[in-house]
Amino acid sequence: QVQLVESGGGLVQPGGSLRLSCAGSGFTFSTYGISWYRQAPGKNRELVGIITSTGVGRNYGDAVKGRFTISRDNSKNTAYLQMNSLKPEDTAVYYCKAIGLNTPWGQGTQVTVSS
């Protein structure tokens, strides 16, 4: 069964950091790029960034550029989203997807940035 499971969310104060994980199973993880998305209450889902299958190429949305970093460890079938200098507007449910693999959206992981 093809599956991607997000974890690592939580409550953090503004200026803090979190690292999210995206664990893949049921497919050859190392051959797919991974994208991270987020959806804030009342807003459309937004692309946060992507990483290529090898991890060499990365791109980020303007809202997170310079603060967030995507990485991956193909030996662990896991991608990561390191989030630094968090702002209240980063509050959202965060999701990951394998690019080009037709899978349903997972449950995501909630990130809340608040004092």
Side-chain angles (χ1 to χ4, degrees):
Q1 179 184 358
V2 175
Q3 200 172 12
L4 287 156
V5 179
E6 305 92 348
S7 64
L11 173 64
V12 62
Q13 292 187 342
S17 298
L18 275 177
R19 188 177 80 155
L20 308 184
S21 297
C22 168
S25 60
F27 65 102
T28 307
F29 185 84
S30 62
T31 63
Y32 287 87
I34 297 294
S35 54
W36 281 96
Y37 291 84
R38 67 185 182 184
Q39 188 165 21
K43 295 189 176 181
N44 292 330
R45 193 167 282 144
E46 171 189 25
L47 178 64
V48 173
I50 63 172
I51 187 168
T52 58
S53 59
T54 61
V56 172
R58 308 172 207 186
N59 272 303
Y60 302 93
D62 288 341
V64 307
K65 205 170 291 185
R67 299 187 297 122
F68 289 13
T69 302
I70 301 174
S71 61
R72 65 190 297 159
D73 185 343
N74 285 339
S75 69
K76 296 181 179 179
N77 290 346
T78 302
Y80 304 97
L81 178 64
Q82 176 68 44
M83 306 185 295
N84 298 329
S85 302
L86 282 160
K87 305 175 181 180
E89 50 264 44
D90 295 317
T91 295
V93 179
Y94 285 72
Y95 304 88
C96 62
K97 291 278 276 182
I99 299 170
L101 194 62
N102 187 19
T103 57
W105 291 98
Q107 291 190 331
T109 185
Q110 174 72 49
V111 172
T112 303
V113 184
S114 175
S115 54

